[in-house]
Amino acid sequence: MIAKLKRIDWPLFAILLVLMGTSLIVIYSATHSSAKFGDSTSKMAMYYALGFIVFFVMALVDYRFWLKYSLYIYIGGLALLLLVMIVGQTLNNAQGWLNFGGVSLQPAELFKMVLIMFLSVMLANKNKLKLGFWRDIIPLLGITFVPFALVMVQNDLGNALSYLIITMALLWIGNMKYTQAALVTALAILLIVVGIHSYVAYHDNIEKYLVDINREHWMERIDPWLMPDEATAKAVYHTRNAKLAIASGGLSGEGYMKGSSVQADRVPLTYSDSIFVVVAEEFGFIGAAVLLLLYFTLIHRLVLVSLECRERAGPYLIIGIVAMLLYQIFENIGMFIGLMPLTGITLPFISFGGTSLLMNMACMGLVMSIRIHNQVDTDELPLAVADRYVGSKAT
């Protein structure tokens, strides 16, 4: 136990502590005057306490244990996604929460780690061979498409897109042929360009269709991004006020708990999805830059662990986690400065949310487990099938 604790990347642990402090400070500023959300800071502190317990549990358990049962974990994750479609609670137009005795759980958030583990196992089994299009890439895309479709039906676009980003990142480092990578990239660009052009050209028809399937609020998220001049006042309210708040922060900000837009409640969801607006308005460009530097340092530490790993599955796991974090950071910040459409995606480790935080802390624990246990010879592992998934030290 002591030997394992000594192998933990303590600089990374320190970064998590700083992110925790930042989260609690910013959430308090966003909610201290709210009768409904005034206890959010204490709740987030409790989530972080539980999150660090999850971190150490995941770190001390050999990560190959989870890989051994990754298929069953994947099936269990799909079962939760199906269950939430039947008995799930709806929040912010997304039916994505299960309630267990007053405790809410968002399966779509947890499934990101599930998908990373299962895809990592599948790619590690290829033993560094070039991926075949029909033999490998199509099945892996199919593994991703099933949860993607289920989460899209739940009306959770942000988490659904994260599954695609994770899959593409893992395929890229999973030894795709350059021709395959070029083809997939070209296809993705083509779909984006055609999709944007079609949305603008057939806006009225698309709007009628979305109203018919009870998805009209999608227009309120996409219109401010692609057609801001033609979007309704309701549609642009969130993003317009967020941009104004970010701009008013200037270089050094308006001061802690003195953000004019945040404290006047002109920006929705400042304690969760819009928490970056609080940072930018009250701490300015300097505060936002420091937060991004923290994220950069965190990603840097994760990449260093992946480079030190001597087994096949470890780097896949870490790169999947890095892709997930980078997507969430870029999407959450980008949607408030006009680069991305508005989605319900959290800012990692900062936004209020128990499931999101616990999943991210579990991922950090998984990375620490890789750092701790990749030094152990494969023939000393308690799992007899470990070599089948991650290969031996010699590979």
Side-chain angles (χ1 to χ4, degrees), residues 144 160-170 320 323-324 326-327:
T144 303
L161 288 177
S162 70
Y163 301 163
L164 299 182
I165 300 298
I166 289 168
T167 302
M168 295 312 299
L170 288 176
M324 175 191 73
L326 287 176
Y327 162 73

Side-chain angles (χ1 to χ4, degrees), residues 121-131 135-136:
V121 168
M122 299 294 289
L123 288 169
N125 284 338
K126 299 307 300 179
N127 196 21
K128 300 183 180 180
L129 296 175
K130 288 287 185 181
L131 298 181
R135 184 186 69 246
D136 302 311

Side-chain angles (χ1 to χ4, degrees), residues 254-303:
E254 297 183 359
Y256 182 55
M257 297 200 305
K258 295 180 180 179
S260 54
S261 295
V262 170
Q263 301 305 324
D265 203 25
R266 288 196 288 266
V267 181
L269 303 173
T270 50
Y271 66 101
S272 57
D273 297 350
S274 307
I275 201 163
F276 178 76
V277 178
V278 185
V279 176
E281 184 176 48
E282 298 191 349
F283 299 98
F285 176 81
I286 294 175
V290 170
L291 178 60
L292 290 176
L293 181 61
L294 277 174
Y295 282 131
F296 173 82
T297 308
L298 176 67
I299 298 299
H300 178 253
R301 299 304 304 182
L302 298 181
V303 173

Side-chain angles (χ1 to χ4, degrees), residues 86-393:
I86 301 172
V87 299
Q89 295 180 331
T90 300
L91 181 64
N92 296 329
N93 297 310
Q95 184 181 352
W97 281 262
L98 293 174
N99 194 295
F100 300 99
V103 178
S104 294
L105 176 71
Q106 190 178 7
E109 281 280 358
L110 293 176
F111 200 86
K112 287 184 274 192
M113 185 172 68
V114 173
L115 183 64
I116 290 170
M117 287 193 294
F118 190 49
L119 290 179
S120 296
V121 168
M122 299 294 289
L123 288 169
N125 284 338
K126 299 307 300 179
N127 196 21
K128 300 183 180 180
L129 296 175
K130 288 287 185 181
L131 298 181
F133 184 78
W134 295 105
R135 184 186 69 246
D136 302 311
I137 295 178
I138 292 300
L140 291 172
L141 291 176
I143 289 171
T144 303
F145 178 77
V146 175
F148 172 84
L150 292 176
V151 174
M152 283 295 292
V153 172
Q154 295 171 21
N155 210 13
D156 189 349
L157 177 63
N159 281 318
L161 288 177
S162 70
Y163 301 163
L164 299 182
I165 300 298
I166 289 168
T167 302
M168 295 312 299
L170 288 176
L171 285 176
W172 175 252
I173 70 160
N175 217 9
M176 285 181 71
K177 297 176 182 177
Y178 289 116
T179 53
Q180 295 171 347
L183 178 63
V184 171
T185 302
L187 180 61
I189 294 174
L190 179 64
L191 288 175
I192 291 172
V193 172
V194 172
I196 291 175
H197 176 76
S198 300
Y199 183 87
V200 174
Y202 303 101
H203 183 270
D204 293 340
N205 293 334
I206 294 174
E207 182 178 15
K208 182 179 182 301
Y209 173 73
L210 291 176
V211 170
D212 291 340
I213 64 172
N214 197 30
R215 293 290 188 271
E216 62 271 19
H217 63 278
W218 284 10
M219 307 290 292
E220 298 176 1
R221 297 185 174 188
I222 300 176
D223 281 359
W225 178 48
L226 294 181
M227 308 172 65
D229 295 334
E230 300 180 28
T232 64
K234 179 183 177 183
V236 300
Y237 177 83
H238 193 163
T239 53
R240 182 192 60 197
N241 286 358
K243 289 178 183 178
L244 290 173
I246 293 172
S248 67
L251 180 63
S252 57
E254 297 183 359
Y256 182 55
M257 297 200 305
K258 295 180 180 179
S260 54
S261 295
V262 170
Q263 301 305 324
D265 203 25
R266 288 196 288 266
V267 181
L269 303 173
T270 50
Y271 66 101
S272 57
D273 297 350
S274 307
I275 201 163
F276 178 76
V277 178
V278 185
V279 176
E281 184 176 48
E282 298 191 349
F283 299 98
F285 176 81
I286 294 175
V290 170
L291 178 60
L292 290 176
L293 181 61
L294 277 174
Y295 282 131
F296 173 82
T297 308
L298 176 67
I299 298 299
H300 178 253
R301 299 304 304 182
L302 298 181
V303 173
L304 287 180
V305 175
S306 72
L307 293 175
E308 293 172 357
C309 188
R310 298 180 295 175
E311 297 170 330
R312 291 196 299 270
Y316 290 129
L317 287 168
I318 296 175
I319 295 304
I321 292 170
V322 167
M324 175 191 73
L325 292 175
L326 287 176
Y327 162 73
Q328 288 191 218
I329 295 166
F330 181 77
E331 169 61 30
N332 183 275
I333 297 175
M335 65 187 181
F336 295 121
I337 58 177
L339 294 179
M340 299 293 287
L342 187 66
T343 61
I345 202 78
T346 58
L347 189 61
F349 303 104
I350 304 296
S351 294
F352 178 85
T355 305
S356 174
L357 177 64
L358 293 178
M359 187 275 299
N360 287 328
M361 293 297 283
C363 286
M364 295 301 101
L366 194 62
V367 173
M368 286 301 96
S369 178
I370 294 170
R371 188 176 195 274
I372 291 171
H373 296 97
N374 83 83
Q375 301 296 327
V376 181
D377 289 339
T378 303
D379 59 0
E380 295 176 356
L381 293 176
L383 303 175
V385 297
D387 181 65
R388 175 180 157 199
Y389 291 117
V390 298
S392 65
K393 190 171 85 170

